[in-house]
């Protein structure tokens, strides 16, 4: 049969097709016809294919596929057989994939005279399909290796894929899961919530992310499920340890918050953008007291500062956010605070902000001011006295001394005593032992006053304990006064008293005897009847003698009085 006769037996749309190749082989498998599309597509195979075996244009591995298809068509003349085979490409060792339909080719007498083949190029789709297969295998490999559990359910809720980690997490071999309905293995229960999420994901056609607890196996899971036309894909992982850590962290945070709330210090956590992230109870109280408004998270910390403080605050906190610890005292609206700025780090040691710990030191500041004023008054009093005043602590260290005290130490030791030095360094050797005993007794509450003589000088030493507001001894007040002039006066008065006492004794004992003699002689002269001259002369001589004796005694008294 000629090629033109065969063409008349083929529909014109196939003869003229620009998509399909049309080939007819005889019963021996040789080409007896092909359309122009085939000719133009495979011209490079041979200049003349008519009459030549068809396997010349088939990949060697696919020749048997063609033969089998031909045999099947000859055995069943009314059957169409579909095959995919490779055709040679333009380049050596290059082949193109094609898809063909084989059928018995009959003449006008309905006799089978060959095989008609209609085919088209599927190289791109085949390659794409192979790429899909390769990609699917890679995906399966990745899914098998990921540390998350994975399984896929079809539209009837049956397991169609599952990885080894899902097996391990669920504790069920995949052989017992594949093909089984999930609700048969994990029936819906009020003990867990994932069935509800799965149903919602499928019915709403949206992905769902959630956490769920399985009390039967005592595990927490993080789950993501994706609905599709093929069913539901589920990724999940065991977060039991993370959840336990979170619970412990929350408990720790509660304990920490309780600790922070129990302190009177203000503690604030501030982000790098100066947004307030967290604060304790004391901070809220400080805010109400100082700013008369509540402090809130996400507020800007800068909004709580007076304009004059912003520049220094930004400077200090910038240092903290560079890793420094900054300590400052500052005053706001009449309140004094001591604040420390600390850098705050995340788990990767990146600075994420700063914490601010503030203590209200208003009372301390006021007390310090009052103490300073009192100290100035005390210094004024100390410096206005002529006494040498020294304050000694319980370790016998000089904590304060006035100008006279410095002068005395300079006079005795050729150098001025200084604050911070040992008090015993300025005690003369002969007095150190008794001074130590005295200091010890004073610390126990005893007051002492002593007078000491050093050459021509006399000193009065007074020591008494200094008590704090709770009556605890905090040191010793040591006062020394030069009493030399007073002592000289006292000694002179003492000598005068002794002289007066001597005069009084003379008057009471020596003076009375001559006076009594004179008075007696005068009485004899007055009352005697004896008138002889001898008698009178004798009486007068005795009067003169007693008078002279009286005169000597008077002279003696005058001498003592003038001494």
């Amino acid at each position: 049969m000629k090629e033109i006769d065969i063409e008349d037996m083929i529909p014109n749309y196939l003869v003229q097709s620009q998509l399909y190749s049309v080939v007819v082989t005889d019963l021996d498998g040789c080409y007896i016809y092909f359309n122009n599309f085939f000719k133009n597509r495979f011209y490079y195979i041979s200049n003349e294919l008519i009459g030549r075996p068809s396997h010349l244009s088939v990949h060697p591995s696919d020749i048997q596929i063609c033969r089998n298809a031909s045999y099947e068509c000859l055995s069943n003349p009314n059957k169409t057989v579909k095959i995919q085979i490779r055709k040679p490409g333009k380049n050596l060792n290059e082949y193109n994939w094609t898809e063909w339909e084989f059928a018995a080719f009959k003449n006008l007498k309905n006799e089978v005279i060959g095989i008609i083949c209609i085919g088209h190029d599927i190289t791109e789709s085949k390659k794409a399909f192979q790429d899909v297969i390769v990609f699917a295998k890679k995906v399966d490999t990745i899914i098998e290796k990921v540390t998350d559990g994975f399984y896929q359910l079809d539209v009837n809720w049956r397991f169609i894929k599952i990885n080894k980690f899902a097996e391990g997490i669920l504790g069920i071999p995949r052989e017992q899961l594949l093909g089984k309905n999930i609700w048969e293995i994990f029936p819906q229960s009020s003990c867990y919530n994932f069935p509800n999420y799965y149903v919602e994901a499928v019915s709403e056609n949206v992905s769902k992310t959630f956490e769920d607890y399985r009390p039967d196996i005592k595990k927490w899971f993080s789950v993501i499920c994706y609905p599709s036309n093929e069913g539901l894909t589920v990724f999940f992982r065991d977060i039991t340890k993370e959840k336990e850590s979170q619970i412990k962290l929350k408990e720790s945070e509660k304990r920490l918050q309780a600790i922070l709330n129990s302190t009177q210090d203000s503690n604030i956590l501030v982000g790098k953008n100066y947004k307030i992230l967290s604060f304790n109870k004391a901070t809220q109280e400080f805010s109400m007291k100082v700013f008369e408004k509540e402090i809130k998270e996400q507020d800007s910390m800068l909004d709580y500062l007076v304009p004059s403080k912003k520049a220094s605050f930004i400077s200090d906190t910038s240092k903290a956010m560079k890793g420094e610890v900054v300590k400052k005292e500052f005053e706001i609206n009449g309140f004094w605070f001591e604040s420390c700025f600390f850098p705050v780090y995340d788990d990767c040691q990146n600075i994420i902000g700063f914490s601010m710990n503030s203590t209200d030191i208003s009372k301390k500041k006021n007390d310090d001011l009052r103490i300073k004023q009192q100290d100035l008054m005390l210094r004024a009093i100390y410096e206005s006295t002529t006494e040498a005043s020294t304050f000694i602590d319980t370790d016998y260290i000089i904590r304060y001394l006035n100008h006279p005290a410095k002068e005395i130490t300079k006079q005795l030791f050729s150098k001025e005593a200084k604050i911070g030095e040992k008090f015993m360094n300025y005690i003369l050797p002969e007095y150190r032992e008794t001074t130590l005993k005295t200091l010890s007794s004073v610390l126990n509450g005893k007051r002492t006053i002593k007078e000491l003589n050093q050459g021509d000088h006399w000193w009065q030493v007074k020591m008494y304990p200094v008590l704090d507001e709770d009556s605890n001894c905090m040191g010793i007040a040591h006062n020394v006064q030069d009493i030399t002039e007073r002592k000289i006066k006292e000694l002179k008065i003492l000598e005068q008293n002794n002289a007066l006492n001597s005069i009084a004794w003379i008057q009471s004992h020596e003076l009375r005897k001559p006076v009594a003699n004179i008075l007696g002689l005068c009485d004899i002269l007055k009352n005697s009847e004896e008138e002889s001259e001898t008698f009178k002369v004798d009486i007068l001589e005795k009067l003169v003698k007693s008078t002279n004796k009286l005169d000597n005694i008077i002279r003696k008294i005058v001498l003592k009085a003038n001494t």
Side-chain angles (χ1 to χ4, degrees):
M1 183 176 286
K2 296 181 181 180
E3 186 176 350
I4 191 168
D5 295 331
I6 296 174
E7 188 172 272
D8 291 337
M9 300 173 63
I10 300 172
N12 188 58
Y13 70 88
L14 289 176
V15 172
Q16 302 298 328
S17 176
Q18 298 298 312
L19 293 175
Y20 294 95
S21 296
V22 179
V23 175
V24 179
T25 64
D26 61 16
L27 296 177
D28 293 324
C30 295
Y31 286 113
I32 59 175
Y33 173 81
F34 47 77
N35 66 355
N36 286 331
F37 183 80
F38 179 86
K39 180 180 179 180
N40 295 333
R41 178 70 180 81
F42 298 107
Y43 70 91
Y44 50 82
I45 296 176
S46 177
N47 291 329
E48 184 59 52
L49 286 175
I50 297 298
R52 303 192 68 182
S54 60
H55 63 74
L56 293 177
S57 63
V58 178
H59 189 281
S61 300
D62 296 339
I63 292 174
Q64 190 60 44
I65 296 175
C66 293
R67 287 173 179 170
N68 293 339
S70 297
Y71 294 153
E72 190 172 351
C73 289
L74 295 175
S75 301
N76 300 282
N78 295 321
K79 183 177 181 180
T80 300
V81 179
K82 183 183 289 188
I83 62 171
Q84 290 182 358
I85 58 175
R86 286 164 285 182
K87 290 283 188 181
K90 292 181 180 181
N91 301 319
L92 186 64
N93 297 324
E94 181 182 283
Y95 288 89
N96 297 313
W97 277 98
T98 58
E99 185 175 76
W100 298 84
E101 287 187 348
F102 282 30
F105 186 69
K106 302 175 184 179
N107 59 18
L108 296 176
K109 296 178 182 181
N110 204 32
E111 297 172 340
V112 175
I113 60 173
I115 302 296
I116 184 170
C117 308
I118 301 172
H120 64 280
D121 192 299
I122 61 168
T123 302
E124 292 300 323
S125 61
K126 189 74 173 178
K127 184 177 181 301
F129 180 71
Q130 289 176 337
D131 290 343
V132 169
I133 292 175
V134 171
F135 178 74
K137 289 181 178 179
K138 288 182 178 179
V139 170
D140 288 342
T141 301
I142 293 171
I143 289 174
E144 194 65 23
K145 290 183 177 180
V146 294
T147 55
D148 286 358
F150 162 83
Y151 58 79
Q152 190 173 11
L153 307 173
D154 64 14
V155 293
N156 295 315
W157 301 101
R158 290 175 300 196
F159 286 97
I160 56 176
K161 280 187 180 181
I162 183 169
N163 69 354
K164 64 179 181 180
F165 287 98
E167 289 183 88
I169 294 174
L170 299 177
I172 303 174
R174 72 179 72 190
E175 292 78 14
Q176 297 180 21
L177 293 173
L178 292 175
K180 298 292 182 65
N181 188 291
I182 187 174
W183 309 131
E184 294 177 2
I185 300 173
F186 303 110
Q188 294 191 2
S189 170
S190 59
C191 296
Y192 42 76
N193 297 314
F194 74 87
N196 297 331
Y197 286 105
Y198 287 3
V199 172
E200 287 178 10
V202 172
S203 61
E204 298 172 10
N205 196 31
V206 293
S207 61
K208 294 286 184 178
T209 301
F210 59 94
E211 292 181 356
D212 200 10
Y213 180 67
R214 288 278 306 279
D216 52 332
I217 55 177
K218 297 181 179 179
K219 288 184 178 181
W220 278 93
F221 296 99
S222 174
V223 185
I224 303 176
C225 56
Y226 304 93
S228 66
N229 294 333
E230 289 75 28
L232 187 70
T233 300
V234 179
F235 288 91
F236 66 101
R237 61 188 179 93
D238 186 343
I239 60 168
T240 304
K241 291 184 178 179
E242 296 176 24
K243 207 68 177 177
E244 290 174 350
S245 297
Q246 289 176 4
I247 293 172
K248 290 179 181 178
L249 179 61
K250 287 183 179 179
E251 291 175 351
S252 297
E253 288 176 348
K254 287 181 180 179
R255 287 195 293 268
L256 178 60
Q257 192 66 34
I259 292 171
L260 292 176
N261 285 335
S262 67
T263 181
Q264 295 182 349
D265 290 352
S266 165
N267 290 282
I268 310 176
L269 177 61
V270 183
K272 297 184 76 172
N273 57 357
Y274 289 100
K275 293 293 184 181
I276 297 171
L277 303 178
S278 180
F279 54 86
N280 66 345
K281 183 179 178 181
T283 302
Q284 189 66 268
E285 294 173 354
F286 279 9
S287 180
M288 293 300 296
K289 180 170 66 175
V290 177
F291 305 109
E292 296 182 350
K293 66 176 182 178
E294 290 187 357
I295 192 170
K296 297 178 181 179
E297 292 183 358
Q298 297 304 314
D299 280 357
S300 174
M301 190 66 202
L302 301 178
D303 293 341
Y304 292 84
L305 301 175
V306 294
S308 60
K309 303 292 183 182
K310 284 188 178 180
S312 61
F313 180 84
I314 292 174
S315 175
D316 294 335
T317 53
S318 295
K319 292 177 183 178
M321 287 189 283
K322 292 179 181 177
E324 295 184 38
V325 175
V326 182
K327 186 175 183 179
K328 281 292 183 70
E329 288 185 0
F330 58 90
E331 180 268 337
I332 300 178
N333 297 338
F335 294 91
W336 277 93
F337 296 94
E338 181 180 76
S339 294
C340 285
F341 303 95
F342 301 94
V344 177
Y345 301 86
D346 61 14
D347 293 338
C348 299
Q349 293 302 300
N350 297 314
I351 294 177
I352 60 173
F354 64 91
S355 66
M356 178 179 175
N357 175 274
S358 301
T359 304
D360 187 344
I361 58 171
S362 301
K363 184 178 184 303
K364 177 179 176 296
K365 277 290 185 179
N366 293 332
D367 290 343
D368 289 346
L369 179 61
R370 187 170 64 254
I371 290 171
K372 187 176 181 180
Q373 292 173 342
Q374 291 175 348
D375 183 64
L376 290 173
M377 293 173 60
L378 184 61
R379 285 176 182 270
I381 294 171
Y382 266 74
E383 296 297 341
S384 66
T385 181
T386 57
E387 290 187 358
S389 299
T390 306
F391 175 67
I392 312 158
D393 67 15
T394 55
D395 294 321
Y396 307 149
I397 302 298
I398 298 172
R399 295 304 175 191
Y400 178 78
L401 70 166
N402 65 357
H403 182 72
K406 295 176 182 178
E407 289 296 317
I408 288 179
T409 57
K410 185 176 181 181
Q411 179 182 340
L412 295 177
F413 299 94
S414 301
K415 67 173 184 177
E416 290 184 357
K418 295 180 180 179
I419 293 173
E421 293 185 315
K422 294 180 179 180
F423 175 72
M424 294 305 296
N425 291 345
Y426 296 93
I427 300 297
L428 294 170
E430 59 267 30
Y431 296 121
R432 285 179 183 171
E433 184 177 352
T434 55
T435 299
L436 282 171
K437 292 180 179 179
T438 303
L439 290 172
S440 178
S441 65
V442 172
L443 287 177
N444 289 322
K446 184 179 178 181
R447 293 170 173 259
T448 63
I449 299 176
K450 292 184 178 181
E451 293 181 355
L452 304 176
N453 175 241
Q454 181 67 27
D456 295 332
H457 279 79
W458 280 87
W459 310 94
Q460 183 184 65
V461 180
K462 295 185 288 186
M463 288 186 274
Y464 51 88
V466 178
L467 307 179
D468 60 17
E469 294 179 353
D470 298 323
S471 297
N472 297 315
C473 185
M474 55 186 291
I476 298 169
H478 182 275
N479 297 326
V480 178
Q481 186 175 15
D482 187 342
I483 59 170
T484 303
E485 185 178 346
R486 193 195 79 188
K487 268 296 185 181
I488 291 173
K489 290 179 180 179
E490 287 180 353
L491 290 173
K492 188 172 182 179
I493 292 171
L494 182 61
E495 289 176 358
Q496 290 175 344
N497 287 339
N498 290 336
L500 290 175
N501 288 334
S502 179
I503 292 170
W505 188 88
I506 292 171
Q507 287 178 339
S508 62
H509 292 82
E510 295 183 16
L511 189 60
R512 287 186 62 83
K513 185 176 180 180
V515 171
N517 288 338
I518 291 171
L519 291 175
L521 290 172
C522 289
D523 185 65
I524 291 173
L525 286 174
K526 182 181 178 181
N527 297 312
S528 175
E529 294 179 356
E530 182 66 43
E531 295 181 358
S532 65
E533 286 297 325
T534 303
F535 174 77
K536 290 181 180 179
V537 170
D538 182 54
I539 294 299
L540 287 174
E541 287 178 352
K542 290 180 178 179
L543 281 172
V544 171
K545 186 178 180 179
S546 295
T547 301
N548 288 333
K549 193 174 182 178
L550 178 61
D551 182 59
N552 288 332
I553 292 172
I554 291 172
R555 288 176 182 274
K556 185 178 178 181
I557 292 172
V558 172
L559 180 63
K560 285 184 175 294
N562 293 328
T563 298

